[in-house]
Amino acid sequence: MTNQHRYLPTTDQDRKEMLETIGVSSIKDLFSDIPESTRATKDKAIDLEDALSEQALTKYMKELAAKNTTTESHAYFLGAGVYDHYSPSIVNHVLLRSEFMTAYTPYQPEASQGELQALFEFQTMMCELTGMDVANSSLYDGFTSLGEACNLATSATKKQNVLYSKALHPQAKEVIHTYAYGMEYSVKEVSLNGTRTDIDELKSAIDEDTAAVIIQYPNFFGTIEDLKEIKSLLEDTKGILIVMANPLALALLEAPGKLGADIVVGDTQPFGIPMSFGGPHCGYFAVKKKYMRKVPSRIVGQTTDKDGKRGFVMTLQTREQHIRREKATSNMSSNQALLALGTSVFLAAVGKVGLQEMAQQNLNHAHYVKKELTDKGLTVLSDNDFFNEFVVKLDRPFYEVTDQLLDHQIVGGFDVSEALNEENAMLLCVTEKRTKEEMDQLVSLLVGEGK
């Protein structure tokens, strides 16, 4: 029965029909999974402790927080997609300003010039790092960007098969499978040769129906893939090369755009964005100019007003809210403007030379730890072509080692044993924040010298 009072709450009859539809007799049945002893009733209130004063409550909450393992209390060697990097204090000082913190989509450019300029600069810096022609004003995170890249590739090439390396981040694989299911194209994994993509298998997998090949750079295991060689495999096809790149590594590595990439995506979390238990972060999306009108979300452009003064506006938008529904190439409804602003502030504060120095420190620290471990007898499964992550084979059970590290205020690496079919394989990440004392202590404990 349709409620004739459409703007009023549901009627008793509406509730009865809904309960019958889902197969329960009363609203109480919806709470049956909650033990009765923990439920409040009209005759029994939940037994709560007496309220604390503000001072006592603050002290209690601080005691609880002190039980957490954080980057403030422990040396952090865990990466695998989210990284412990230095962030200048100015980033938060800008982001916490109310005019940025509370800003919504800048539909009125005359009232949003500051935000629009920041996003324009974000796009510019992403283009410089990736070597691409055009970048959008951000997406939700790096994995969302990758899913959108797959959609663009199948739309642009009219092909239905996407190939991805097994050296892609596991969560990225889940996201592209979800996108592919919804858009009805297929995705297929290409095996590894050691810790990098098996080029021979990739070559045999590419055919006339290949829409794209996805490569992570550096890959999930930290190894730097040969993008130029992979691009050459696509020369006689319509397939395009999608690269998911760590933007900090691009301060040292050759830009993917100069090695043949058609789309470059990733997450700017290394640039001033906290780890935050895995999010929110900030995806970037950069393409060659010919794909510009298929880019998801929005692009901010530079223009002049009627007096000839420089100004900024939202130039291209591909969502159905902004253009005819049948012309939409994405349903991506928003971006990460606040965190994109944080990325812009970070890059402006650190500068080009500072960013290169930061990346170099990551490279130096990781290679130092790798050399020390090798010299002391542990097997390192990665070759020397890595940035700040590599895989070491432990001589003891993985979690026995990580528990010992925690006892010494160290967070160890990520378990990649199953992914590499190697027992006790640990993916270690060594950033610019790690001191020599911390790195030496890690090595000592991993080789069994520490107590």
Side-chain angles (χ1 to χ4, degrees), residues 253-267:
L253 301 179
E254 181 65 278
K258 294 182 179 179
L259 297 173
D262 299 285
I263 304 175
V264 185
V265 299
D267 202 303

Side-chain angles (χ1 to χ4, degrees), residues 211-322:
V213 171
I214 305 171
I215 299 294
Q216 191 168 335
Y217 180 74
N219 68 29
F220 179 66
F221 305 106
T223 301
I224 300 168
E225 301 271 12
D226 189 338
L227 298 183
K228 191 172 184 179
E229 180 180 11
I230 293 169
K231 177 64 177 179
S232 69
L233 302 180
L234 293 165
E235 281 183 355
D236 297 325
T237 74
K238 291 185 177 180
I240 65 179
L241 177 59
I242 301 172
V243 176
M244 187 170 80
N246 179 339
L248 178 60
L250 300 185
L252 291 183
L253 301 179
E254 181 65 278
K258 294 182 179 179
L259 297 173
D262 299 285
I263 304 175
V264 185
V265 299
D267 202 303
T268 67
Q269 185 272 323
F271 293 163
I273 300 176
M275 292 187 287
S276 301
F277 299 97
H281 293 154
C282 176
Y284 70 87
F285 193 106
V287 298
K288 289 184 175 178
K289 188 175 181 179
K290 67 179 179 178
Y291 301 119
M292 178 171 61
R293 291 189 175 275
K294 292 182 177 293
V295 170
S297 187
R298 56 183 69 106
I299 297 174
V300 174
Q302 178 177 284
T303 185
T304 55
D305 65 14
K306 65 179 183 178
D307 297 321
K309 295 180 180 179
R310 184 177 71 155
F312 301 91
V313 296
M314 289 197 294
T315 303
L316 292 176
Q317 299 163 87
T318 57
R319 185 192 173 201
E320 73 282 354
Q321 174 182 330
H322 303 117

Side-chain angles (χ1 to χ4, degrees), residues 170-227:
Q171 293 174 351
K173 297 176 188 178
E174 293 182 18
V175 170
I176 62 175
H177 275 276
T178 300
Y179 267 79
Y181 174 80
M183 298 299 290
E184 298 183 333
Y185 53 83
S186 65
V187 289
K188 179 182 178 182
E189 184 173 271
V190 176
S191 301
L192 299 175
N193 181 4
T195 60
R196 56 167 43 89
T197 308
D198 188 322
I199 296 297
D200 292 332
E201 181 177 327
L202 176 60
K203 183 176 181 180
S204 63
I206 294 172
D207 59 26
E208 61 182 13
D209 201 33
T210 298
V213 171
I214 305 171
I215 299 294
Q216 191 168 335
Y217 180 74
N219 68 29
F220 179 66
F221 305 106
T223 301
I224 300 168
E225 301 271 12
D226 189 338
L227 298 183

Side-chain angles (χ1 to χ4, degrees), residues 162-176:
V162 174
L163 302 174
Y164 67 87
S165 168
K166 189 177 180 180
L168 191 64
H169 194 293
Q171 293 174 351
K173 297 176 188 178
E174 293 182 18
V175 170
I176 62 175

Side-chain angles (χ1 to χ4, degrees), residues 7-39:
Y7 297 112
L8 296 179
T10 53
T11 66
D12 290 341
Q13 180 64 26
D14 291 334
R15 294 189 186 94
K16 180 182 177 181
E17 291 177 359
M18 287 189 284
L19 291 171
E20 289 175 352
T21 299
I22 62 177
V24 297
S25 60
S26 71
I27 290 177
K28 288 183 179 180
D29 292 340
L30 299 177
F31 301 91
S32 60
D33 290 335
I34 302 174
E36 287 190 22
S37 60
T38 64
R39 292 187 230 166

Side-chain angles (χ1 to χ4, degrees), residues 26 92 103 113 160 287 316 352 355 389 438:
S26 71
N92 253 6
Q113 284 301 293
Q160 292 299 303
V287 298
L316 292 176
K352 181 177 181 180
L355 190 66
E389 292 180 276
E438 291 170 343

Side-chain angles (χ1 to χ4, degrees), residues 65-76 408-411 438:
K67 295 180 179 181
N68 288 328
T69 296
T70 71
T71 56
E72 299 298 321
S73 62
H74 288 57
Y76 207 79
H408 289 79
Q409 284 71 55
I410 294 175
V411 175
E438 291 170 343

Side-chain angles (χ1 to χ4, degrees), residues 332-395:
M332 185 56 59
S333 62
S334 189
N335 58 8
Q336 287 285 37
L338 186 68
L339 297 179
L341 169 63
T343 294
S344 300
V345 174
F346 172 90
L347 290 172
V350 172
K352 181 177 181 180
V353 173
L355 190 66
Q356 291 173 331
E357 289 178 354
M358 181 176 169
Q360 188 66 54
Q361 288 179 31
N362 277 257
L363 182 76
N364 293 348
H365 287 189
H367 281 259
Y368 170 77
V369 173
K370 187 246 185 184
K371 183 178 185 304
E372 290 294 303
L373 290 173
T374 303
D375 289 347
K376 293 180 182 295
L378 275 190
T379 300
V380 173
L381 300 178
S382 304
D383 55 29
N384 278 326
D385 294 333
F386 66 89
F387 175 53
N388 64 0
E389 292 180 276
F390 64 94
V391 181
V392 60
K393 185 174 175 62
L394 306 174
D395 56 7

